[in-house]
């Protein structure tokens, strides 16, 4: 519907909406993160959900103990190569639509342990990350900001067309390859498919977020 | 002190030979090299002797010595011992393997000091020393299928390099090598 017409109608006391807006509004205000922490960042994540920072204001009240009931995984902390398959497996078990926040320097790139022998150089090697938070560890405000960024991203998704969420695209995968423990490294060492999908989605979604503006 | 321990050790256990490894640094923390054939007996003596009573093993770690013109290369396990009862320590005890390749067995001191269990497992994992007599010798940091020993000096990392904004020194060399590998494979 034309924006001007909508404003005109609302002045006359007629509220109009679309199914898409309702759907996105519902989704963005009831994101349920999974109880999942790996290292120091997890402490900040816990602080975010407690009284002082109160993540509940955003509808993320309950941290779910089961991946089946969660739609957001906050990868908070160092992902070691030994832990990586478990992280990917948990992500695969989550129901669509699902989102990933990579929290902290370790989760996004390996951080100070990047050159170590046992640390994964960023979880985005295996699963598509929606929001990266830099910092070591990031403060709760940073996580809240990432959360709001994710909400904007959800709000900008369309139900049809190129920018539609992955679960509405029969071509897009909802599960990603779980790496196996190899003799010298994880096999495969990364999943290039993830970057391809992510670029595709981001290029569509980013345009709309910019156009919507705030 | 260490000289005295060495003499008493050799007197108490027939055939046991200990060697004092001097430490030239300002800390002057000299250590005692035990021969691995009598290591468990010697450790038991250090723990139970009335004077010493080294009842607490605070730290166990590994060292990898590559072959040089002076040595043929060996792996080493280092134990730091304290006495809770007598309030003294540390006494540093070393064990050496014969070489770095095929003869990497050492006796486990876990039966003497229970606290050595996890750390001997770590040494087994990262250096590849096999501790005979250890109750539960499994990998602890790396996964079971992993074949290498990451803390050995000649460990070659897998080529999982990623972009660095300002590569330098070793990382720069690695970045160049990675770029070469990429161009060859594609």
């Amino acid at each position: 519907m034309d924006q001007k017409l909508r404003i005109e109608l609302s002045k006359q006391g007629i509220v109009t909406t679309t199914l898409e807006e309702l759907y996105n509004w519902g989704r963005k205000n009831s994101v349920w993160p999974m109880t999942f922490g790996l290292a120091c960042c997890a402490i900040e994540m816990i602080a975010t959900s407690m009284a002082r920072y109160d993540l509940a204001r955003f509808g993320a009240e309950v941290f779910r103990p089961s991946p089946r009931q969660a739609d957001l995984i906050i990868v908070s902390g160092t992902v070691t190569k030994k832990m990586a398959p478990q992280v990917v497996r948990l992500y695969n078990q989550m129901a669509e639509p699902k989102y990933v926040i990579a929290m902290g320097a370790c989760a996004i790139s390996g951080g100070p342990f990047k050159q170590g022998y046992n640390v994964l150089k960023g979880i985005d090697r295996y699963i598509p990350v929606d929001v990266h938070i830099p910092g070591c560890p990031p403060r709760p405000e940073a996580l809240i900001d990432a959360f709001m960024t994710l909400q904007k991203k959800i709000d900008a998704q369309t139900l049809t067309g190129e920018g539609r969420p992955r679960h509405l695209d029969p071509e897009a995968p909802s599960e990603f390859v779980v790496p196996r423990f190899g003799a010298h490294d994880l096999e495969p060492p990364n999943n290039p498919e993830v970057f391809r999908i992510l670029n595709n989605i981001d290029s569509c979604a980013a345009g709309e977020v910019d156009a919507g503006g705030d | 002190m260490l000289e005295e321990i060495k003499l008493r050790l050799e007197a108490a256990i027939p055939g046991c030979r200990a060697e004092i490894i001097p430490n030239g640094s300002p800390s002057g923390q000299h250590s005692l090299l035990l021969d691995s054939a009598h290591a468990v007996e010697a450790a038991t003596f250090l723990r139970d002797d009335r004077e010493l009573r080294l009842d607490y093993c605070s730290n166990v770690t590994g060292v990898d010595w590559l072959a040089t013109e002076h040595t043929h290369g060996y792996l080493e396990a280092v134990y730091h011992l304290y006495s809770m009862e007598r309030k003294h320590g540390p006494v540093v005890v070393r064990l050496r393997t014969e070489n770095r390749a095929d003869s990497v067995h050492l006796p486990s001191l876990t039966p003497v000091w229970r606290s050595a269990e996890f750390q001997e497992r770590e040494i087994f994992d990262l250096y590849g020393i096999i501790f005979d007599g250890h109750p539960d010798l499994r990998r602890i940091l790396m996964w079971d299928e992993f074949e290498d020993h990451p803390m050995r000096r000649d460990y070659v990392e897998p080529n999982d390099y990623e972009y660095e904004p300002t590569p330098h020194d070793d990382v720069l060399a690695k970045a160049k090598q990675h770029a070469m590998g990429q161009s060859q494979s594609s």
Side-chain angles (χ1 to χ4, degrees):
Chain A
M1 191 191 294
D2 183 26
Q3 196 68 22
K4 271 185 188 164
L5 177 62
R6 263 180 68 178
I7 292 167
E8 201 55 44
L9 280 172
S10 70
K11 279 178 188 164
Q12 304 303 320
I14 301 167
V15 179
T16 57
T17 185
T18 58
L19 188 64
E20 185 178 292
E21 269 173 44
L22 266 178
Y23 181 65
N24 283 346
W25 172 79
R27 284 195 312 138
K28 82 167 186 187
N29 289 308
S30 61
V31 178
W32 282 359
M34 188 162 70
T35 309
F36 179 74
L38 292 165
C40 9
C41 282
I43 309 296
E44 299 292 317
M45 182 180 76
I46 293 162
T48 314
S49 71
M50 301 310 290
R52 181 181 280 259
Y53 297 99
D54 197 16
L55 195 65
R57 290 175 293 158
F58 299 89
E61 174 83 59
V62 272
F63 275 74
R64 305 306 300 192
S66 156
R68 302 290 186 201
Q69 301 167 340
D71 54 2
L72 168 66
I73 180 169
I74 302 173
V75 183
S76 53
T78 318
V79 188
T80 57
K81 285 179 180 173
K82 203 171 173 178
M83 193 64 186
Q86 285 81 301
V87 179
V88 179
R89 191 166 294 121
L90 280 172
Y91 176 78
N92 283 347
Q93 286 173 354
M94 281 159 59
E96 288 277 10
K98 52 190 173 184
Y99 302 93
V100 182
I101 291 177
M103 181 178 182
C106 292
I108 66 178
S109 71
F113 314 112
K114 190 179 171 75
Q115 303 299 333
Y117 54 84
N118 194 28
V119 172
L120 193 71
K121 290 155 188 62
I123 190 61
D124 51 8
R125 285 180 159 231
Y126 290 116
I127 57 178
V129 176
D130 292 282
V131 186
H132 294 79
I133 318 175
C136 182
R139 286 189 50 86
E141 289 93 332
L143 180 57
I144 288 173
D145 182 58
F147 205 83
M148 289 163 71
T149 309
L150 180 68
Q151 285 184 323
K152 274 180 206 152
K153 194 171 171 174
I154 293 171
D155 207 25
Q157 282 181 328
T158 53
L159 287 179
T160 53
E162 280 293 293
R164 66 188 186 276
R166 204 173 54 233
H167 65 290
L168 295 174
D169 184 358
E171 300 288 309
S174 100
E175 289 192 3
F176 290 88
V177 61
V178 179
R180 288 183 306 107
F181 291 129
H184 306 288
D185 196 7
L186 291 175
E187 291 167 6
N190 59 28
N191 185 5
E193 188 82 338
V194 172
F195 292 102
R196 194 183 59 75
I197 296 160
L198 207 64
N199 284 339
N200 195 16
I201 293 169
D202 271 358
S203 59
C204 300
E208 290 184 23
V209 171
D210 289 346
D214 58 340
Chain B
M1 166 96 176
L2 218 55
E3 192 70 37
E4 199 184 312
I5 295 174
K6 168 184 151 70
L7 291 175
R8 293 186 50 205
L9 205 59
E10 286 174 342
I13 300 160
C16 176
R17 281 193 347 276
E19 190 188 326
I20 291 173
I21 312 285
N23 181 343
S25 76
S27 73
Q29 204 170 47
H30 312 305
S31 55
L32 202 61
L33 177 68
L34 303 178
D35 68 317
S36 40
H38 298 89
V40 178
E41 279 176 80
T44 314
F45 172 80
L46 292 176
R47 185 191 63 185
D48 294 340
D49 181 68
R50 197 75 64 77
E51 294 279 304
L52 292 169
R53 284 295 287 154
L54 295 163
D55 49 11
Y56 175 53
C57 174
S58 81
N59 175 51
V60 190
T61 191
V63 189
D64 181 13
W65 296 96
L66 286 176
T68 61
E69 61 255 46
H70 305 297
T71 66
H72 52 283
Y74 45 83
L75 300 168
E76 203 170 53
V78 185
Y79 296 75
H80 285 189
L81 311 174
Y82 290 81
S83 175
M84 286 285 133
E85 197 177 300
R86 300 265 162 177
K87 303 271 188 289
H88 61 77
V91 172
V92 187
V93 168
R94 286 163 192 269
L95 300 173
R96 278 179 192 172
T97 63
E98 277 170 46
N99 58 37
R100 301 175 67 253
D102 52 349
S103 185
V104 290
H105 287 258
L106 283 181
S108 170
L109 299 188
T110 307
V112 185
W113 293 286
R114 190 65 170 74
S115 58
E117 185 189 336
F118 264 35
Q119 303 192 59
E120 283 185 349
R121 270 178 70 183
E122 189 183 4
I123 298 169
F124 165 70
D125 189 354
L126 302 183
Y127 291 90
I129 299 176
I130 297 162
F131 288 92
D132 298 321
H134 190 283
D136 183 25
L137 199 64
R138 287 179 290 133
R139 279 187 176 272
I140 188 165
L141 293 175
M142 309 304 283
W143 51 91
D144 292 341
E145 293 88 342
F146 196 72
E147 285 173 5
D148 310 323
H149 303 292
M151 288 300 275
R152 284 212 191 178
R153 301 277 190 92
D154 53 3
Y155 169 64
V156 181
E157 288 179 3
N159 188 4
D160 59 355
Y161 175 81
E162 265 187 5
Y163 170 77
E164 289 261 339
T166 53
H168 53 85
D169 303 338
D170 293 351
V171 182
L172 183 61
K174 209 173 156 185
K176 280 179 181 164
Q177 206 184 352
H178 181 77
M180 266 165 55
Q182 292 291 94
S183 61
Q184 275 168 11
S185 63
S186 59

